[in-house]
């Protein structure tokens, strides 16, 4: 008969929680673990702190041991590291006293609660680096784990499967997991334990793009023609644009994009404006930030992979293009940039702040402090 161990605070780096058939437990194993490890280690540590309310000797007579050491970690001294809330052994009606048999370690093919940790919301994050290699063991262990986490009151489960472990995807889906998102190296699946709709956050809903308004002291704008563009923009000159990478700031991303496409080094000045468009690509929405940059170099070196041509173009000539005049959003964007050049408009500059409530790490808050009563923007 198999049981699930409750292990909200067990250290998985020290012990593995496993299930085994109670009929196969030998008297020497029960006596060794209960009589020696529990009485010697836990009586002084857990018992003195009120973690177990009854004598250990009587507890051992009525339990089915549900946690066992892995073959490589059988030292009884490891029990000393278990916290007072970490040992939750269930009981069963049958006694284990008097059972005979040779001592043996649990088989590597036995089911066990998958190594995992709780996130800050009480959800379960499975340790993908320690998943079993045997698909049958994974399937049975996943069932055991879900039952265990449900008993503990956990709600959401996050299962990250690297590309090389893709054979586990059908097993997880069959068990009720659903796709959350995918990257080049992994697939993320989730499982919502309670009845009703899942309360887990959805995958990222937006992509973030940037456009660079780079103007030199000759009143010339840095413009490009892309190799791959829609027929409507054929022959037109546009601002350098691109997407922000993961873990990249807006102000560093736009500088990088300009450098990659044109070879021009720049200094970020401000976010002039941003556009929010819905359902642009794969039903994802799009945030597009128009940024003003100051050129630090002027020799253009075109990226042959993406860009057909690049040049410094007089601002007046750039604005007169049909692609600008015929599009209200593009025209308004350039109008705002021109107003910023005339100090009649204030953009947003990133300021480093730390929120202890959020994550305690530095982040960028974009805002502008008005310096004069007439709201004339003096720049940063």
């Amino acid at each position: 008969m198999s049981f699930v161990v409750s292990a909200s605070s067990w250290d998985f780096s020290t012990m593995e929680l496993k299930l085994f058939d109670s009929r196969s437990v030998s008297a020497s194993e029960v006596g060794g673990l209960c009589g020696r490890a529990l009485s010697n280690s836990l009586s002084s540590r857990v018992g003195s702190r009120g973690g177990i309310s009854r004598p250990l000797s009587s507890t051992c007579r009525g339990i089915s041991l549900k946690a066992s050491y892995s073959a490589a970690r059988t030292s009884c001294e490891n029990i000393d590291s278990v916290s007072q809330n970490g040992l939750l052994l269930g009981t069963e009606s049958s006694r284990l006293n008097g059972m005979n048999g040779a001592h043996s370690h649990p088989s590597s093919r036995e089911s066990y609660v998958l190594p995992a940790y709780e996130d800050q919301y009480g959800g379960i994050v499975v340790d993908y680096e320690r998943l079993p290699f045997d698909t049958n063991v994974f399937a049975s262990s996943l069932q055991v784990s879900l039952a265990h986490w449900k008993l503990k009151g956990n709600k959401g489960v996050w299962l990250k499967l690297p590309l090389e472990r893709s054979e586990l995807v059908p097993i997880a889906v069959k068990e009720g997991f659903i796709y959350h998102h995918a990257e080049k190296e992994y697939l993320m699946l989730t499982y919502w334990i309670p009845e009703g709709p899942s309360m887990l956050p959805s995958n990222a809903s937006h992509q973030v793009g940037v456009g660079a308004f780079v103007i030199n002291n000759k009143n010339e704008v840095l413009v490009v023609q892309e190799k791959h563009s829609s027929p409507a923009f054929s022959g037109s000159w546009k601002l350098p644009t691109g997407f922000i990478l993961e873990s990249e700031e807006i102000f560093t991303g736009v500088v990088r994009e300009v450098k990659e496409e044109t070879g021009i080094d720049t200094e970020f000045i401000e976010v002039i404006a941003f556009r929010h468009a819905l359902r642009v690509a794969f039903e994802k929405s799009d945030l597009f930030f128009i940024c003003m940059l100051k050129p630090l170099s002027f020799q253009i070196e075109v990226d042959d992979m993406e860009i057909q041509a690049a040049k410094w173009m007089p601002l007046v000539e750039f604005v007169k293009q049909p692609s600008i005049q015929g599009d209200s959003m593009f025209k308004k964007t350039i109008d705002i940039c021109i107003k910023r050049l005339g100090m009649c408009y204030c953009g947003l500059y990133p300021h480093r702040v730390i929120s202890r409530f959020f994550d305690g790490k530095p982040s960028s808050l974009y805002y502008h402090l008005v310096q004069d009563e007439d709201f004339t923007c003096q720049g940063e």
Side-chain angles (χ1 to χ4, degrees):
M1 183 174 183
S2 297
F3 291 85
V4 180
V5 73
S6 178
S8 59
S9 59
W10 285 59
D11 184 354
F12 286 104
S13 65
T14 305
M15 304 179 68
E16 288 185 353
L17 301 179
K18 298 196 177 234
L19 299 178
F20 57 89
D21 194 330
S22 62
R23 291 170 296 182
S24 66
V25 180
S26 65
S28 62
E29 183 172 4
V30 173
L33 286 176
C34 285
R36 177 158 43 83
L38 291 180
S39 62
N40 291 343
S41 298
L42 295 179
S43 60
S44 62
R45 293 182 178 272
V46 180
S48 63
R49 301 174 186 175
I52 297 179
S53 59
R54 55 185 175 179
L56 290 174
S57 58
S58 61
T59 302
C60 286
R61 287 198 301 272
I63 66 170
S64 171
L65 288 177
K66 286 163 277 186
S68 65
Y69 295 103
S70 65
R73 298 173 181 149
T74 57
S75 174
C76 290
E77 287 79 11
N78 287 335
I79 294 182
D80 292 340
S81 65
V82 179
S83 67
Q84 66 179 43
N85 296 322
L87 184 62
L88 299 174
L89 299 177
T91 62
E92 70 164 340
S93 57
S94 62
R95 302 279 180 168
L96 297 182
N97 292 350
M99 299 181 68
N100 298 317
H103 177 82
S104 62
H105 298 298
S107 169
S108 61
R109 294 183 61 84
E110 291 176 0
S111 304
Y112 59 91
V113 177
L114 296 173
Y117 64 90
E118 289 191 9
D119 61 21
Q120 59 181 325
Y121 304 104
I124 293 295
V125 181
V126 179
D127 186 352
Y128 68 92
E129 293 183 338
R130 300 177 63 192
L131 293 173
F133 288 98
D134 188 296
T135 55
N136 293 325
V137 174
F138 173 76
S140 57
S141 296
L142 189 58
Q143 293 178 349
V144 167
S145 301
L146 291 175
H148 170 64
W149 295 327
K150 182 177 182 180
L151 188 64
K152 284 182 57 183
N154 296 114
K155 296 180 179 180
V157 182
W158 298 86
L159 177 61
K160 178 180 179 180
L161 294 179
L163 189 62
E164 60 270 18
R165 302 307 311 275
S166 59
E167 77 278 3
L168 303 181
V169 173
I171 299 174
V173 171
K174 184 178 180 180
E175 203 58 45
F177 280 79
I178 61 174
Y179 298 131
H180 187 266
H181 69 273
E183 297 292 344
K184 292 180 179 180
E185 300 84 9
Y186 72 88
L187 176 70
M188 181 69 77
L189 299 100
T190 61
Y191 185 96
W192 184 249
I193 297 176
E195 297 291 335
S198 173
M199 299 300 292
L200 293 175
S202 301
N203 183 29
S205 58
H206 288 66
Q207 61 183 15
V208 180
V210 288
F213 184 79
V214 186
I215 188 165
N216 61 22
N217 55 9
K218 298 179 181 179
N219 223 26
E220 297 173 329
V221 183
L222 181 63
V223 294
V224 299
Q225 286 183 338
E226 295 180 341
K227 280 190 173 182
H228 310 286
S229 62
S230 63
F233 289 96
S234 179
S236 298
W237 295 91
K238 58 183 286 293
L239 301 179
T241 59
F243 288 103
I244 297 297
L245 304 177
E246 291 185 49
S247 302
E248 185 177 43
E249 297 275 7
I250 292 173
F251 60 86
T252 55
V254 68
V255 170
R256 174 188 53 77
E257 282 291 344
V258 172
K259 178 66 174 179
E260 290 178 354
E261 292 189 357
T262 67
I264 299 296
D265 296 309
T266 58
E267 177 186 350
F268 176 85
I269 302 299
E270 291 175 347
V271 169
I272 300 300
F274 71 91
R275 180 211 64 194
H276 187 198
L278 305 180
R279 298 181 178 179
V280 174
F282 305 105
E283 295 302 306
K284 303 297 182 183
S285 297
D286 181 87
L287 287 170
F288 183 69
F289 291 85
I290 306 297
C291 305
M292 177 172 286
L293 289 83
K294 174 184 177 180
L296 301 178
S297 64
F298 304 95
Q299 185 64 41
I300 293 176
E301 297 179 7
V302 174
D303 175 17
D304 294 331
M305 295 293 295
E306 299 182 59
I307 304 302
Q308 182 70 34
K311 68 178 182 178
W312 292 101
M313 188 176 193
L315 178 59
V316 175
E317 184 180 340
F318 174 70
V319 173
K320 288 182 179 179
Q321 291 185 107
S323 59
I324 301 297
Q325 294 297 320
D327 189 292
S328 59
M329 190 200 72
F330 289 161
K331 187 175 185 301
K332 187 63 177 179
T333 298
I334 301 304
D335 287 344
I336 295 173
C337 291
I338 293 175
K339 287 185 179 297
R340 173 62 182 85
L341 291 174
M343 300 298 179
C344 298
Y345 176 88
C346 300
L348 304 177
Y349 188 83
H351 299 264
R352 302 297 281 176
V353 295
I354 296 177
S355 171
R356 294 182 180 178
F357 178 80
F358 183 58
D359 59 4
K361 300 178 182 179
S363 59
S364 297
L365 181 64
Y366 286 76
Y367 63 91
H368 177 81
L369 294 176
V370 176
Q371 302 293 338
D372 302 318
E373 294 182 0
D374 60 356
F375 297 100
T376 299
C377 182
Q378 300 297 324
E380 186 66 24

